[in-house]
Each structure stands twice: as C-alpha cells, then as structure tokens.
Amino acid sequence: MLDLNDLVMPATSAKKCGLHQLPSLNPDEESPGVLGFLGLGEKPENVCLFRQKTSRGWWPVFLSTEGTRELRGKVEMTLEILTDDEASEKEAGKGQKDPNMNPTLEKPKRPSTSFLWFTSPFRTLRIIIWRNYKWYIIGGLIILIIAAIILLFMYNMPGYIAKKIIGA
C-alpha cells in the first residue's frame, strides 16, 4: 500500500537509490539511513504528495521476508496528484498510446540482446557467443589449421622421401 501522506523521498539517481531510503521494519527503531553507522546519517526523509503535488525520482523495489529486506530492483517514476478539472485537461493514454503526453513517453531503448533466442538462433550466436568468445574462436581456428597442415605434412612426407630415393 502506498501512503501518499507519508511517501518515501525518491532518490535523484539510480546510484543513490537503495534500501537506506526506507524506514525501519521495526517502528520502535529509528532507521539512520546509509551513513547511520558513522553517526552522519539522518532518518530517511518522507514527503506528503498532497502538499508537493508531484514527485519524481527513483524508488527501491524490495522483497521483505522474515524481518529483512532484499533489494530486487529500482523504479524511476513520476507521481502527480491532479484535481478532476486538471485530469480532464491533461488527458493521457495508456502506455505509449495516444494521447502520449503528460508525461510524454519515448520509445523504450532496449538492448540488442533483448529478443527470443529460439526465433533467431544465428543472431543468438552472433550477439551472445561471438561477442564474448570471438578471439578464442579465431585462435582455435588458427591452431586447427596449423595442426592440419602439420599432420598432412607428416602423413605425406614418407611417400615423397621414398619417391626421391627411388628416383621416380
């Protein structure tokens, strides 16, 4: 449940985002924040979204089990409280569908490795295997070619020597 009156203050960047932003699991205990062990930290800040109207930044996503929290990811988002009149003026579509404004969502910047490997196995080989093992593959091929040349030389050499001796 998200308490909009006492919302955790978002971090300004993903690097600054972490579990130190969250209050302690035990309400009797104060959470000193990331620098609390040095005596430099303060209690994590909270904001009231109804007073601030908008809040933008990074929030931690965590898994809470048996009194401990484990960081599972980070989410960048903008929360905005609107009145009915403002909401009707600032119409918004779902996701990137029209009208794509307030806020405008750009097309996602996905890495080239985000694809289904079984639909394009050669692309999988090129992106995952070739990028990581290119020099090992090239080195292995060169060693195989050199070994094949040496083996062919050793296999054919006795026949050529015998022909030279006989004079044929």
Side-chain angles (χ1 to χ4, degrees):
M1 185 167 84
L2 191 61
D3 184 7
L4 300 180
N5 284 318
D6 196 27
L7 186 67
V8 174
M9 177 77 91
T12 55
S13 70
K15 287 183 181 179
K16 295 179 183 176
C17 180
L19 294 176
H20 64 275
Q21 292 174 255
L22 304 173
S24 173
L25 284 172
N26 185 354
D28 300 332
E29 220 178 88
E30 285 189 14
S31 177
V34 73
L35 297 176
F37 67 94
L38 294 175
L40 302 172
E42 298 176 3
K43 188 176 175 187
E45 293 184 51
N46 292 341
V47 294
C48 177
L49 195 58
F50 295 106
R51 280 193 221 120
Q52 194 170 329
K53 297 289 186 196
T54 64
S55 185
R56 177 181 165 82
W58 291 84
W59 281 273
V61 178
F62 62 93
L63 174 67
S64 184
T65 55
E66 300 176 11
T68 61
R69 290 182 180 143
E70 181 183 344
L71 187 65
R72 289 298 180 110
K74 300 171 185 184
V75 175
E76 181 184 23
M77 66 179 165
T78 303
L79 297 174
E80 186 173 7
I81 298 288
L82 301 172
T83 63
D84 283 338
D85 297 333
E86 291 172 335
S88 62
E89 288 175 16
K90 294 181 173 183
E91 215 176 298
K94 289 186 179 183
Q96 297 170 358
K97 304 226 177 350
D98 288 332
N100 185 5
M101 54 187 173
N102 299 319
T104 302
L105 298 175
E106 304 95 30
K107 291 286 181 193
K109 298 175 182 111
R110 293 190 176 104
S112 61
T113 57
S114 66
F115 60 90
L116 296 173
W117 65 270
F118 53 84
T119 59
S120 180
F122 293 115
R123 186 173 182 197
T124 304
L125 290 172
R126 183 178 56 91
I127 289 175
I128 296 173
I129 296 174
W130 183 252
R131 273 193 194 157
N132 296 328
Y133 300 105
K134 173 177 31 179
W135 295 111
Y136 294 111
I137 293 170
I138 291 172
L141 288 174
I142 290 173
I143 289 172
L144 280 174
I145 291 171
I146 291 173
I149 291 171
I150 291 173
L151 285 173
L152 285 172
F153 179 76
M154 299 291 279
Y155 177 76
N156 291 322
M157 198 58 179
Y160 287 127
I161 292 176
K163 282 184 183 178
K164 283 284 185 187
I165 292 175
I166 297 173

